[in-house]
Amino acid sequence: MLKLFQRFAGAYRRYFIIGPATKLLEVFFDLLTPLVIARMIDEGVTSRDLPEVIRYGILLLVMALVGLGFTLICQKMAALASQGMGTDIRRELYRSINRLSHAELDRFGTPSLITRITNDVNQVQLAIALGVRQLIRWPFLAVGSMVAALLIDLKLGVIFLVSTPLIGVVFWVVMARCVPYFRQMQQKLDRIALITREGLSGARVIRAFVREEHERERFRAAAYDQAETAIAVGRLSSVLNPVTFLVMNLGVCAILWAGGIQVNVGELTQGEVMAFVNYMTQTLLSIVYVANLVVVFTKASASAARVNEVLECEPSVSDEGNAPVDVARLAQGMRPAPRPLLQGSAEGGQGDAAVCALRMTGACFAFEGAAANAVDHADIVLAPGQTLGVIGGTGSGKSTLISLIPRLYDVTEGAVEVLGTDVRLWPLRQLRQIVSLVPQKASLVSGTIRSNLCWRDAEAPDDKLWRALECAQAAEFVRKLPQGLDSPVEARGKNYSGGQRQRLTIARALVGSPAVVILDDSASALDFKTDAALRRAIRGLGQTSDAAGGIPLTTVIVSQRVSSVRDADVICVMRRGKIVGQGTHEELLAECPIYQEICLSQLKREELGASMGAKAGAQAKDAAGPERPGADPSRSGRSEDVAVRLDGADACAMSREDEKGGLR
């Protein structure tokens, strides 16, 4: 909590001075009130002097009004300080979250980050507000009441010296047991946020599988778990008030007993005894409020620690000190290469940065705590204007591989270069302007089609937006919308179909003329004809110099469809994080058994042509085993266990008619 205060309180220093100062003035009047009441009793009530009673009554009213004025000033200072600091903390927290790399985001988790930026910051705001309003008032009131009471009579002051430590011991015992529960409660709130997020975002899937009752039970279990912790804290806290008021009332009884005796002998007046009782009550109530403040600050301390954990987290991916790269210089002499560049070739050698658009050299990456690399010694070379296809089974590392290009993750070994420069030397903003990524899950935000398309270039004119839509095969359906580019987009784009969302995200990636565009299985919801037209359009962009700095557009396509990557200049076949084959479609059919299996699982034997070779045909026939009665001869080359051997690759045969219409 102190770290947050030191970091964010500077701009609100005057509020932290004015607020407590006015509260001290209010407390001063509260301490004078029992003395005025004592005078009223001794000089007015006892002697039945009504004018004196009225005079002291008016004085009490004036003191109350002045105290109320100071209270209102303090309340405003507390609101300005707490809301201002809370807003600054939340803004800085959001900025820090956006600076984190994917590795840190994976470690914290989205539900936990949401809880920290909402509930945890609210706890800190509450503590700041109560700190300004109450942190000075109650301790000062308790000490002031005790001193004033002792000045009235030292003998009765012994009752204070006995009662106050008793209440302090009770609070210490109870709070020592409560503090661990407060930390557990915040962690259990993270769990509730996680289940809530999953349940709401996956509502359609849950209903489709009739899992509503299961999800309700999960939420109920998490909510009851958190409630049990809160109840345990409540039970412990419930001891405070009864014990406190018991001690306080016993103390008042003792004061009245001892004070009555002293009044009889003339050592004290009735007004002084009443003032003593008032001071006793103020002192013990102050201790109660101080204990409540301890509860609030304990919760805030746990929340502040979680907020600081994010604020102090240094992203593993940083571009500090990186100078801008001269893209115009890199573009000189760059033209679409006539044929694929393979690692170590003359055109694509290690030193030829003028030709290389993308190069990976021994690139490795492992997730934190993983036993093996998710990407293991990947070597890739791609020239400007060419297309790289990445194919493999589910979990083979395709998405992780392409995440290294825009530096969403940093390689743990080896290097990744874009336009001949290591990605770790690029400023992140410039690198991600050069490299455009279309993720697997289409992501749109609420607004309009225009506002979503302008993410990469806020000043993009309409003609460039329509050009991107044409290339992404989205212009036709956008033109049919009543408002065109200004048509509304709901959160996550749920007012559009899956294929429309994918085409809009592809169009967004093409706005701003990137030099490299990565399509991470981003056409999975498109039919074969639209997919083929999309690939032709993007391939056409690679033959021009409309990209950043005049560099021909280089494309990386990640897919499980052979039809999506077969026309790529270079195809990488991945299995368990390793590149097990690299080359053109024909080369891989002849040389890569894994690629042969993928093709056999998706294409007819005759569609593969003679390029597969006699050896590949014999392997496919052996793998298929003896023909079964009624089997389709055209499918006899398929392996019975191909789905298992592909680690989840799509083993369903494609629609032949659609495929022919979309690929030819």
Side-chain angles (χ1 to χ4, degrees), residues 367-409:
F367 291 100
E368 185 177 354
N373 286 337
V375 175
D376 193 12
H377 292 89
D379 292 300
I380 299 173
V381 175
L382 199 66
Q386 290 188 333
T387 299
L388 170 68
V390 183
I391 194 169
T394 302
S396 59
K398 305 186 298 296
S399 295
T400 307
L401 176 75
I402 58 95
S403 295
L404 302 177
I405 301 172
R407 207 183 169 201
L408 300 181
Y409 297 100

Side-chain angles (χ1 to χ4, degrees), residues 486-508:
D486 296 312
S487 298
V489 176
E490 296 181 9
R492 301 189 302 277
K494 63 182 180 181
N495 55 328
Y496 296 100
S497 69
Q500 290 173 332
R501 289 197 298 269
Q502 285 193 336
R503 282 178 280 174
L504 288 175
T505 55
I506 292 171
R508 179 178 62 194

Side-chain angles (χ1 to χ4, degrees), residues 129-420:
L130 291 180
V132 175
R133 288 160 40 199
Q134 310 291 354
L135 191 59
I136 294 294
R137 171 182 170 80
W138 296 112
F140 190 80
L141 185 60
V143 174
S145 297
M146 188 176 294
V147 171
L150 292 173
L151 291 176
I152 293 174
D153 187 78
L154 289 175
K155 294 179 182 179
L156 292 180
V158 175
I159 299 175
F160 270 94
L161 300 179
V162 174
S163 302
T164 304
L166 283 176
I167 295 176
V169 169
V170 172
F171 279 124
W172 181 83
V173 171
V174 172
M175 296 313 302
R177 294 176 179 272
C178 286
V179 168
Y181 283 112
F182 294 138
R183 296 191 178 95
Q184 292 179 24
M185 285 175 63
Q186 295 303 112
Q187 295 171 354
K188 291 176 180 180
L189 280 174
D190 285 349
R191 174 67 178 167
I192 293 175
L194 170 63
I195 295 174
T196 303
R197 178 184 173 85
E198 290 177 345
L200 295 178
S201 61
R204 293 184 179 182
V205 177
I206 292 169
R207 291 174 183 173
F209 284 87
V210 197
R211 299 288 289 177
E212 294 95 335
E213 186 58 37
H214 175 267
E215 290 303 307
R216 279 196 292 268
E217 185 58 38
R218 285 181 68 209
F219 184 84
R220 187 184 300 113
Y224 275 117
D225 187 27
Q226 196 271 345
E228 287 176 1
T229 304
I231 290 170
V233 174
R235 285 173 178 168
L236 286 172
S237 300
S238 65
V239 176
L240 290 176
N241 284 343
V243 174
T244 300
F245 282 101
L246 175 63
V247 175
M248 183 178 68
N249 290 327
L250 289 175
V252 170
C253 292
I255 290 172
L256 292 175
W257 179 271
I261 296 174
Q262 290 181 298
V263 169
N264 286 334
V265 299
E267 293 182 2
L268 288 176
T269 65
Q270 294 177 357
E272 289 175 333
V273 172
M274 291 305 299
F276 207 101
V277 171
N278 286 335
Y279 284 130
M280 174 75 172
T281 304
Q282 284 183 345
T283 301
L284 298 183
L285 285 177
S286 298
I287 295 174
V288 173
Y289 278 104
V290 168
N292 290 330
L293 287 177
V294 171
V295 173
V296 171
F297 278 98
T298 302
K299 291 181 180 179
S301 178
S303 295
R306 288 158 51 86
V307 171
N308 278 319
E309 187 180 5
V310 178
L311 292 177
E312 294 173 357
C313 179
E314 290 297 326
S316 56
V317 175
S318 174
D319 61 353
E320 186 176 354
N322 290 356
V325 176
D326 188 353
V327 178
R329 182 186 62 80
L330 296 175
Q332 294 176 359
M334 282 195 171
R335 297 291 182 271
R339 60 186 179 81
L341 296 179
L342 299 179
Q343 186 74 18
S345 65
E347 293 96 338
Q350 296 289 341
D352 194 0
V355 179
C356 179
L358 171 64
R359 186 198 305 273
M360 290 189 181
T361 308
C364 298
F365 175 76
F367 291 100
E368 185 177 354
N373 286 337
V375 175
D376 193 12
H377 292 89
D379 292 300
I380 299 173
V381 175
L382 199 66
Q386 290 188 333
T387 299
L388 170 68
V390 183
I391 194 169
T394 302
S396 59
K398 305 186 298 296
S399 295
T400 307
L401 176 75
I402 58 95
S403 295
L404 302 177
I405 301 172
R407 207 183 169 201
L408 300 181
Y409 297 100
D410 261 344
V411 291
T412 52
E413 186 179 338
V416 178
E417 296 178 7
V418 171
L419 304 183

